[in-house]
Amino acid sequence: MIELHQFRPFWGLPNASPFCMKAETYLRFRKITYQVVPGGPRSSPTGKIPYIVDDGRVIADSEAIIAYFERRQHVHLDGELNKAQRATAFFVRELVEDRLYWQITYMRWGDPAGWAVFKPDLVKYLPMGMRGPVLFLLRGSLLKQMRQVGLDPANPEAAYAKGKPVLNALSNLLGDQPYFLGDQPRSLDMSLYAFLANIVDQPYGNPLQAHARTLANLADYCERMKALCWQDWPSA
Ligand SMILES: N[C@@H](CCC(=O)N[C@@H](CS)C(=O)NCC(=O)O)C(=O)O
């Protein structure tokens, strides 16, 4: 049985880590049987989750996990894409995963209003040993990294102003299509859906979520992907 090592579900989301949710969305989409092994990054060979263990073989990194299983498929998810579409998928994924990862992190750890609602729930979710000084140090390190990418806890308006153009660009890229690269879901959709769902479906509102919800085609897209891969998951 394939083991998927990742965080336990949290905050009504299948996974509060968009990278974990991406890998799991893919496994579900491909109907690959797996079992979740709940845990954190410390047990991962790369220090990051998700990773899978398949018959003793360890594969870390959401993109590497998708590539590993795609190699075994008769029809590849991205097989029909032309070179320009593949290049678009590559650049969009790289940019969105970087920018929205920090926006999602900021919504929870950086924005003082977000931290006020995130912290109490996080403390209950974390193992005892991570609740006190460890959590304090972890947040300190994240705040430093957020400042380095221009997301200042003292200025949420300016921080979210960096995330909104990413959502606008995604909305424009999607347009009237059901999926980002046309009529069929591709590997890019596993990533973009997981990142968008972590914004649209998180339980407490913030300016980035409010903006995402005004972009009707992105909201419809999330519903479409949810119906495809997470139908059994309760609505936010
Ligand atoms: N490129 C990796 C990124 C994974 C990643 O950043 N995971 C985060 C959770 S969202 C993590 O494990 N962070 C722990 C750390 O940086 O210490 C992937 O696609 O899987």
Side-chain angles (χ1 to χ4, degrees), residues 5-7 20 37-51 58 60 125-138:
H5 293 251
Q6 59 173 5
F7 295 131
C20 295
V37 180
R42 271 192 250 174
S43 62
S44 166
T46 59
K48 288 189 188 286
I49 50 171
Y51 68 97
V58 180
Y125 171 88
L126 288 175
M128 276 295 180
M130 282 200 65
R131 292 182 183 182
V134 178
L135 180 60
F136 179 81
L137 289 174
L138 175 59

Side-chain angles (χ1 to χ4, degrees), residues 206-224:
N206 59 60
L208 191 70
Q209 184 187 72
H211 184 69
R213 288 183 176 181
T214 66
L215 301 169
N217 66 340
L218 288 190
D220 291 348
Y221 169 80
C222 287
E223 288 304 314
R224 204 171 295 125

Side-chain angles (χ1 to χ4, degrees), residues 7 16-20 22 40-41 47-50 60-65 97 101 138:
F7 295 131
S17 154
F19 292 107
C20 295
K22 168 185 164 184
K48 288 189 188 286
I49 50 171
D61 189 281
S62 59
E63 205 53 32
I65 292 169
E97 289 190 354
Y101 173 78
L138 175 59

Side-chain angles (χ1 to χ4, degrees), residues 107-227:
M107 279 171 6
R108 299 167 182 170
W109 299 81
D111 176 354
W115 179 241
V117 291
F118 182 61
K119 184 184 175 188
D121 291 340
L122 180 68
V123 165
K124 279 182 244 156
Y125 171 88
L126 288 175
M128 276 295 180
M130 282 200 65
R131 292 182 183 182
V134 178
L135 180 60
F136 179 81
L137 289 174
L138 175 59
R139 181 165 187 249
S141 155
L142 287 171
L143 290 177
K144 186 175 168 199
Q145 292 176 71
M146 281 184 260
R147 286 197 187 93
Q148 285 167 347
V149 294
L151 306 179
D152 183 355
N155 196 344
E157 200 183 322
Y160 290 126
K162 285 177 178 287
K164 289 176 186 176
V166 181
L167 297 179
N168 293 342
L170 284 176
S171 174
N172 291 336
L173 182 68
L174 181 64
D176 297 332
Q177 308 176 105
Y179 303 103
F180 275 96
L181 292 165
D183 289 342
Q184 300 297 322
R186 307 292 179 185
S187 63
L188 179 65
D189 294 289
M190 309 301 139
S191 166
L192 298 188
Y193 169 59
F195 279 77
L196 289 170
N198 261 269
I199 295 168
V200 173
D201 292 337
Q202 79 148 28
Y204 294 97
N206 59 60
L208 191 70
Q209 184 187 72
H211 184 69
R213 288 183 176 181
T214 66
L215 301 169
N217 66 340
L218 288 190
D220 291 348
Y221 169 80
C222 287
E223 288 304 314
R224 204 171 295 125
M225 285 297 291
K226 183 176 191 295

